[in-house]
Amino acid sequence: MTSQTTIDATGSGDKASAAPSDPLPARGLRGHPWFTLITVAVGVMMVALDGTIVAIANPAIQKDLGASFAEVQWITNGYFLALAVCLITAGKLGDRFGHRQTFLIGVVGFAAASGAIGLSDSIALVVTFRVLQGLFGALLMPAALGLLRATFPAERLNMAIGIWGMVIGASTAGGPILGGVLVEHVSWQSVFFINVPVGLVALVLGVLILLDHRAENAPRSFDLLGIALLSAAMFCLVWALIKAPTWGWGDAKTWAFVIGSVVLFAAFALWETKVKEPLIPLALFRSVPLSAGVVLMVLMAIAFMGGLFFVTFYLQNVHGMKPIDAGLHLLPLTGMMIVGSPLAGAMITKLGPRIPLAGGMAATAIAMYGMSTLETDTGSAVMSLWFALLGLGLAPVMVGATEVIVGNAPMELSGVAGGLQQAAMQIGGSLGTAVLGAVMASKVDGDLPGNWTAAGLPALTPAQLDQASEAVQVGVAPVTPETPAEVAAKITDVAHDTFISGMSLASLVAAGVAVVAVFVALLTKRGENAEAGAGVGHI
């Protein structure tokens, strides 16, 4: 199932058709594949960096603006919620109006919202503009994949996605390091202001280099009811995952939103079979490799995001590292993703995705098992070994699963496919954090009373035990300045040992998820429609 592409070669609206498998030579910079890759990488770097860099700034924002802990949580939750809910719809907008325009709007909006956050003097304004950041980020990310899909011929698409994945991995992992430097030596506002010049560079490059690609049979109308149903379903699901740690997994409100999301997803699926131009043609999922790619992306994100969530607490609260030092200890992970992503792209081009994907998830499973063996006194060399193996395992999965999803979708749905890929990763990360967080909480709640008593510490009231448990779940010892030094040392030992037991169990669960993903990876294969992506350019 292939489709012809229609290409605006002049930028003035004149269009010329190109055979899918016959790339046209680029006219100078405009439409050149590698320059296109550089351009979208700059824009994507801005969004990926923001996903982790802001976490370092949150304490400074809370102190400066006098915000509550719940309000500060919404700096992250508001951004994530807007991003996750809008990704697929944003991909459809790119398919309809062109990925170049959608990408440029996303870049401008994201940079402008970032600058507005830096100028904000209240927590309400910060959260509001973070939501806008998420909305514009949702426009930008699928459009970037759609541009790569349309610009690169099939034999180079994996390499391009490999470099794209490298940028995302490096930006995500490098966020805490850069954020620590900026917050410590400049201000929390600089964490957001830095996006303005980066966005300006991406805008200039985009105007000069990006070429509009539209499939001849691209959608001409909007499935408004489908958009509303899918957005509401995604909102209910993500909202339940965000609030579950506060409400509790057994709370009626949590399950009301979970059940609501299921009902809305079912209504969306039913509607999509009746509308003339559906938001997501369900026939898309008849492709077993594409469906496997989506599931694989979810499982990978559960294992990666959920497992890594506790590592930052382990490094900072158990080992007592500063944010910058913690970020530096994660450099083996970052480095292997940077090195491994383009190599994975070349390997997938040569061997196909099945073996690299299965091998990558197997390496991820081993790395997560290794992380379950970390102790309070584990040295940097051992930590680096497991972090490096994790990066080596994730690289082919980030590249291969993306190519499987985008490459197995027809050209006119490349934006929707890009939105699916990003939505799968966002939902998987949220699931990983929520589910593994619940595993951690359960283990700490079960072990802390016995460990506390065994250490000969004074008995706690139920309320005190709940407070202590919440602190221990993030590796913090529940001591006060008035606590005698000897007692404080015992409490610290109990807290860290209990945290380690919870992190070990969570890492083992993540390893089990990665093992399941190995078998899902065996269902993947090279994109059947990748040849339709050969749009323009001399490579």
Side-chain angles (χ1 to χ4, degrees):
M1 183 168 64
T2 61
S3 60
Q4 264 189 326
T5 53
T6 325
I7 302 156
D8 184 349
T10 65
S12 61
D14 296 330
K15 296 184 178 180
S17 296
S21 58
D22 184 23
L24 297 175
R27 297 182 180 179
L29 292 178
R30 185 174 290 276
H32 192 287
W34 294 113
F35 289 128
T36 296
L37 175 57
I38 291 170
T39 302
V40 300
V42 173
V44 165
M45 177 182 66
M46 188 169 57
V47 180
L49 196 64
D50 228 61
T52 53
I53 194 174
V54 176
I56 301 298
N58 280 344
I61 296 173
Q62 181 179 19
K63 182 179 179 181
D64 188 35
L65 299 182
S68 67
F69 179 70
E71 288 173 329
V72 169
Q73 281 184 310
W74 274 104
I75 296 174
T76 298
N77 290 343
Y79 174 80
F80 170 73
L81 194 62
L83 186 67
V85 167
C86 298
L87 276 165
I88 295 174
T89 300
K92 192 71 169 186
L93 286 171
D95 291 336
R96 173 66 178 85
F97 294 110
H99 298 299
R100 178 180 183 269
Q101 289 86 335
T102 308
F103 179 84
L104 293 177
I105 292 170
V107 164
V108 171
F110 194 92
S114 299
I117 293 172
L119 297 172
S120 298
D121 58 2
S122 72
I123 192 67
L125 285 175
V126 171
V127 172
T128 299
F129 287 120
R130 279 288 280 171
V131 170
L132 286 176
Q133 264 194 329
L135 292 174
F136 286 112
L139 286 174
L140 193 157
M141 295 293 274
L145 273 176
L147 285 164
L148 294 182
R149 168 78 161 79
T151 302
F152 278 84
E155 66 272 13
R156 296 295 178 91
L157 183 59
N158 284 316
M159 181 62 72
I161 291 178
I163 297 172
W164 179 84
M166 174 190 74
V167 171
I168 289 182
S171 301
T172 301
I177 302 174
L178 180 59
V181 171
L182 290 173
V183 172
E184 191 171 325
H185 298 290
V186 188
S187 66
W188 68 260
Q189 288 91 343
S190 64
V191 167
F192 298 99
F193 283 142
I194 195 173
N195 287 332
V196 177
V198 175
L200 184 61
V201 170
L203 175 63
V204 172
L205 290 175
V207 170
L208 295 175
I209 292 169
L210 297 182
L211 188 66
D212 192 21
H213 301 269
R214 302 190 198 185
E216 287 184 346
N217 51 347
R220 301 300 177 192
S221 62
F222 280 111
D223 176 14
L224 295 178
L225 181 57
I227 289 173
L229 289 171
L230 180 63
S231 298
M234 291 285 287
F235 177 87
C236 288
L237 175 60
V238 176
W239 184 261
L241 294 174
I242 287 174
K243 300 299 289 185
T246 303
W247 291 342
W249 281 99
D251 190 272
K253 294 190 293 292
T254 302
W255 282 102
F257 277 97
V258 170
I259 293 170
S261 72
V262 172
V263 171
L264 287 165
F265 275 123
F268 170 73
L270 179 63
W271 172 251
E272 294 300 271
T273 63
K274 300 180 180 302
V275 67
K276 182 179 179 181
E277 287 195 338
L279 177 61
I280 304 177
L282 298 186
L284 198 65
F285 295 101
R286 291 176 187 167
S287 168
V288 173
L290 184 145
S291 300
V294 173
V295 173
L296 185 62
M297 189 61 74
V298 172
L299 296 177
M300 182 276 292
I302 290 174
F304 174 41
M305 302 292 190
L308 204 60
F309 178 74
F310 298 109
V311 170
T312 56
F313 295 123
Y314 170 74
L315 294 174
Q316 294 186 48
N317 296 338
V318 176
H319 279 270
M321 297 180 188
K322 292 182 178 179
I324 297 176
D325 293 331
L328 290 173
H329 272 73
L330 290 172
L331 278 179
L333 169 63
T334 311
M336 292 310 296
M337 289 189 73
I338 292 173
V339 173
S341 293
L343 292 178
M347 187 187 308
I348 292 167
T349 298
K350 185 175 182 180
L351 302 176
R354 191 170 297 161
I355 294 175
L357 284 174
M361 288 313 307
T364 300
I366 295 170
M368 295 309 303
Y369 173 79
M371 288 166 64
S372 76
T373 66
L374 297 178
E375 301 288 348
T376 55
D377 58 352
T378 300
S380 297
V382 174
M383 285 189 281
S384 296
L385 172 66
W386 299 123
F387 294 160
L389 183 60
L390 181 61
L392 189 64
L394 290 170
V397 182
M398 286 284 291
V399 177
T402 300
E403 193 280 332
V404 165
I405 295 169
V406 177
N408 277 287
M411 184 64 186
E412 66 271 15
L413 293 176
S414 59
V416 168
L420 272 175
Q421 183 268 350
Q422 287 293 311
M425 190 167 179
Q426 296 293 336
I427 290 173
S430 182
L431 271 172
T433 303
V435 172
L436 297 186
V439 171
M440 165 67 87
S442 177
K443 182 67 173 172
V444 169
D445 288 344
D447 289 0
L448 184 59
N451 293 345
W452 192 276
T453 302
L457 292 167
L460 298 175
T461 65
Q464 290 173 327
L465 189 60
D466 287 342
Q467 290 179 342
S469 180
E470 288 183 12
V472 172
Q473 287 171 28
V474 292
V476 173
V479 298
T480 64
E482 295 77 25
T483 305
E486 184 178 348
V487 176
K490 285 185 178 181
I491 292 175
T492 300
D493 288 341
V494 168
H496 289 172
D497 288 342
T498 306
F499 171 82
I500 289 293
S501 68
M503 187 180 78
S504 296
L505 181 58
S507 298
L508 286 174
V509 173
V513 171
V515 169
V516 173
V518 171
F519 295 98
V520 175
L522 298 176
L523 300 175
T524 62
K525 66 178 181 178
R526 198 183 304 276
E528 294 177 356
N529 298 292
E531 67 273 8
V536 193
H538 175 70
I539 299 182

